[in-house]
Structure formats: structure tokens, C-alpha cells
Amino acid sequence: MRNIDEIDRKLLNILQDNSRVTIRELSERLHLSTTPIHERIKKLEKNGYIKRYITLLDPKALGKKLTVFISVSLSSHTKEVVDAFEHEVKKLPEVMECYYVSGNWDFLLKVQCNDMEDYHNFVIHKFSVIKNITQFYSSFVMSESKQTYKYEL
Amino acid sequence: MRNIDEIDRKLLNILQDNSRVTIRELSERLHLSTTPIHERIKKLEKNGYIKRYITLLDPKALGKKLTVFISVSLSSHTKEVVDAFEHEVKKLPEVMECYYVSGNWDFLLKVQCNDMEDYHNFVIHKFSVIKNITQFYSSFVMSESKQTYKYEL
DNA sequence: TGTGAAAACCCACAGGT
DNA sequence: ACCTGTGGGTTTTCACA
């Protein structure tokens, strides 16, 4: 976290909000010339602070209207079983996120589908056929109160 | 979803992977001149397919090493109580995501903290003081098997 | 680390097919 | 819906402080 000063902090905050901001605009907002801005960004990329620049689409515009969180229990927690489950899950495009978690369940998955029919087919044909699942529980998202990928620095 | 053709589909796939790709490079990869690429992107923005261009940082590089999912039950489900909870939660920078969900729990939150001590302070001073929470359950993320914000089109 | 300037590169738009 | 050409803006690099 340290190795980054106040200027880097401001730079990262602006970039998190808008990855297409021009270096020229950044230089004006931070009262520097374009050269140090350019060099700082390259350095932040090189040092692993900046992972990637992405475009966020609107899932609803694409017809993806159903988000489901699935909690999963596996029959065993050996490396083989856990790795095999993760491997299968990674291949499913409907699974946007998958976490190995502590507590009552072993995995938590975020799944994006078009609608309930699409989800039904996903569960029957793609998800429930994965080996070593002993139990799973679906929570349907009714509304999204907050969603951000920005860390306030 | 429809109104977008094969070229738009490819455009969106590339942009999701890299929001800083130049129009020139897109035009070369899609065998078109820059003009139609530029026009298509503006149209996709205008029609709501493209929401925003963001920069993803590495939370670990920033010292944010603990991710927790919190399941929450509220004492009532009237609009007032639900809205008030959402309002409080939105103010907390540690809460990255918050969903109103069906099932055993009312809300599912994704929380990002530096470490367990930081999480402890978050729970004691910021989260558990929110009104109308009857019960909550923390699941700590041990590993992240998959995380993508890309919809394969 | 920073500035300023120049070269290379890219965007955005006009006019035309 | 697409192409080419162009003026103006942007990025990237360099000499220098």
C-alpha cells in the first residue's frame, strides 16, 4: 500500500471511476505536466496496483435479468475434490464469481442468467451434474442495493 | 439484446477485456475503418449497453486482504425498514456490494477489509449498530476461484 | 521527479459512395 | 452503413533542470 503518495492516490481514484480519462485531463486536475502522469500510471501498472482496464456492460440490456447466489456443500474437502469443483465451475460462463468460504457452506457462487427458465436449465444440465456436490441452496437477487468495484483511497 | 449484430458483439467482447483499446486497433481487428467503429461505440453507449469504463485495482496490493460475505436478517420487511438499511449500508465504504435476496436471509453483503482486526472494528462500530438487524452471519473468503465481470456474447 | 517541446500516433468529423 | 482524408488533439519520448 505504501510506495504510493498522495498524487498516486488521487490518480487511482480518478482512474477507478473512468479508465478512459485522458492523461492531459489528469495532468490538469493534478497540476502536473503529462510526462509524470504517464510515468506514474506505467509504474502503477508495473507494480501491480492497476490490474486492468475494463468496460462494464448493463446485464439487463443484454437480457440477463436474473442473478442468483448459490451456496454449495461438497462431500469432502481434500485438495483433489476442491480443485475439481473449481475447475468445473470455471468452465461455466453463467458463473461470474466463485469463492471458497468458511462456515456452513463450502462455496459461494454468483450466477448470471437470462431468466428463471435459463437458470433451471443451468442447474439441471450444467451445475448439479458436477461431482461431489452434496447440497446446494439458491438465493435469488430481488434488488441490487449497492455495487461498486472502487476502493476509496 | 437484439439490435446488436455480430460486429457489435465482437466489439463488446473486446471492450469488456480492455477498455483502453484504441479505435484504430478495433478497426484493424474487425476489418473496418475507424469511422463505423467510433459510431457503433457511441451508439452502444447511448443505447445503454455500455455502462462505464473502469480501472480495476488489486485489493491485495492496497492491503485489503480480507473479503467477507455477510448474510443479514431484518426485523421487518416494510419499505421503510428495507430502505433505511440500504441507505445506511451504502454509506459504508467497506461494503462493496449489497443485494436484497430471497430465502433464509434478507440481504447479502460483500465486504472488503484490510484484515480481521479491521473487520472486527467494522462490525462493532459501523455495521452492527444499524437498526433493525436481528441476526447476521459472516462467511470469510478463503480463496477466490473465479471472478469475472465479462458477459460472453 | 519534474518541465517543455517535438515526433508519432490517434480521434472525430466532413464529404462522398 | 461504410470509406478516405484531414485538422486538431493526445501520447510518448527526449533533452534538460
Side-chain angles (χ1 to χ4, degrees), chain B residues 32-100:
Chain B
L32 282 170
S33 69
T34 58
T35 308
I37 300 291
H38 179 252
E39 283 169 355
R40 279 169 179 271
I41 291 174
K42 289 300 159 210
K43 198 167 181 181
L44 288 165
E45 289 171 356
K46 192 171 131 292
N47 293 346
Y49 291 96
I50 293 174
K51 260 204 302 200
R52 51 200 306 229
Y53 304 99
I54 68 168
T55 301
L56 292 181
L57 306 186
D58 182 356
K60 294 211 175 47
L62 302 168
K64 309 231 165 272
K65 291 178 181 155
L66 184 63
T67 308
V68 186
F69 282 94
I70 311 183
S71 302
V72 184
S73 282
L74 296 189
S75 60
S76 131
H77 303 93
T78 61
K79 188 173 186 314
E80 288 69 32
V81 168
V82 169
D83 285 355
F85 177 77
E86 290 182 338
H87 183 252
E88 288 306 310
V89 142
K90 275 184 203 171
K91 293 194 293 193
L92 303 174
E94 292 89 346
V95 178
M96 306 300 286
E97 302 172 39
C98 174
Y99 305 92
Y100 190 36

Side-chain angles (χ1 to χ4, degrees), chain B residues 3-152:
Chain B
N3 299 331
I4 72 168
D5 61 12
E6 187 66 7
I7 295 171
D8 287 333
R9 207 185 54 72
K10 286 179 182 167
L11 217 41
L12 290 175
N13 273 336
I14 298 171
L15 283 170
Q16 285 185 92
D17 281 331
N18 177 13
S19 60
R20 303 198 76 167
V21 64
T22 61
I23 290 179
R24 176 167 296 271
E25 186 183 334
L26 288 167
S27 72
E28 284 163 8
R29 288 173 68 176
L30 301 184
H31 309 293
L32 282 170
S33 69
T34 58
T35 308
I37 300 291
H38 179 252
E39 283 169 355
R40 279 169 179 271
I41 291 174
K42 289 300 159 210
K43 198 167 181 181
L44 288 165
E45 289 171 356
K46 192 171 131 292
N47 293 346
Y49 291 96
I50 293 174
K51 260 204 302 200
R52 51 200 306 229
Y53 304 99
I54 68 168
T55 301
L56 292 181
L57 306 186
D58 182 356
K60 294 211 175 47
L62 302 168
K64 309 231 165 272
K65 291 178 181 155
L66 184 63
T67 308
V68 186
F69 282 94
I70 311 183
S71 302
V72 184
S73 282
L74 296 189
S75 60
S76 131
H77 303 93
T78 61
K79 188 173 186 314
E80 288 69 32
V81 168
V82 169
D83 285 355
F85 177 77
E86 290 182 338
H87 183 252
E88 288 306 310
V89 142
K90 275 184 203 171
K91 293 194 293 193
L92 303 174
E94 292 89 346
V95 178
M96 306 300 286
E97 302 172 39
C98 174
Y99 305 92
Y100 190 36
V101 294
S102 72
N104 292 337
W105 300 90
D106 297 323
F107 280 93
L108 180 64
L109 278 66
K110 185 181 184 190
V111 173
Q112 193 65 249
C113 287
N114 293 325
D115 50 33
M116 193 56 88
E117 186 188 343
D118 189 28
Y119 181 65
H120 187 203
N121 285 325
F122 165 77
V123 166
I124 289 183
H125 297 116
K126 297 167 128 183
F127 181 68
S128 65
V129 298
I130 297 176
K131 294 240 192 293
N132 295 303
I133 296 176
T134 52
Q135 202 186 138
F136 68 92
Y137 180 82
S138 304
S139 271
F140 299 96
V141 171
M142 297 187 290
S143 82
E144 190 182 284
S145 317
K146 179 173 182 176
Q147 183 168 40
T148 181
Y149 306 121
K150 180 181 184 185
Y151 302 103
E152 295 292 345

Side-chain angles (χ1 to χ4, degrees), chain A residues 60-122:
Chain A
K60 294 209 174 48
L62 302 167
K64 310 229 166 272
K65 291 177 182 156
L66 184 63
T67 309
V68 187
F69 282 95
I70 311 182
S71 301
V72 184
S73 283
L74 296 188
S75 60
S76 129
H77 303 94
T78 61
K79 189 172 186 316
E80 288 70 31
V81 168
V82 169
D83 284 356
F85 177 78
E86 289 182 338
H87 182 253
E88 289 305 310
V89 142
K90 275 184 204 171
K91 293 194 293 192
L92 303 176
E94 292 90 347
V95 178
M96 307 300 285
E97 302 173 39
C98 174
Y99 305 92
Y100 190 36
V101 294
S102 70
N104 293 337
W105 300 91
D106 297 323
F107 281 92
L108 180 65
L109 279 65
K110 185 181 184 190
V111 174
Q112 193 64 248
C113 288
N114 294 324
D115 49 32
M116 194 56 88
E117 185 188 342
D118 189 29
Y119 181 64
H120 187 201
N121 285 324
F122 165 77

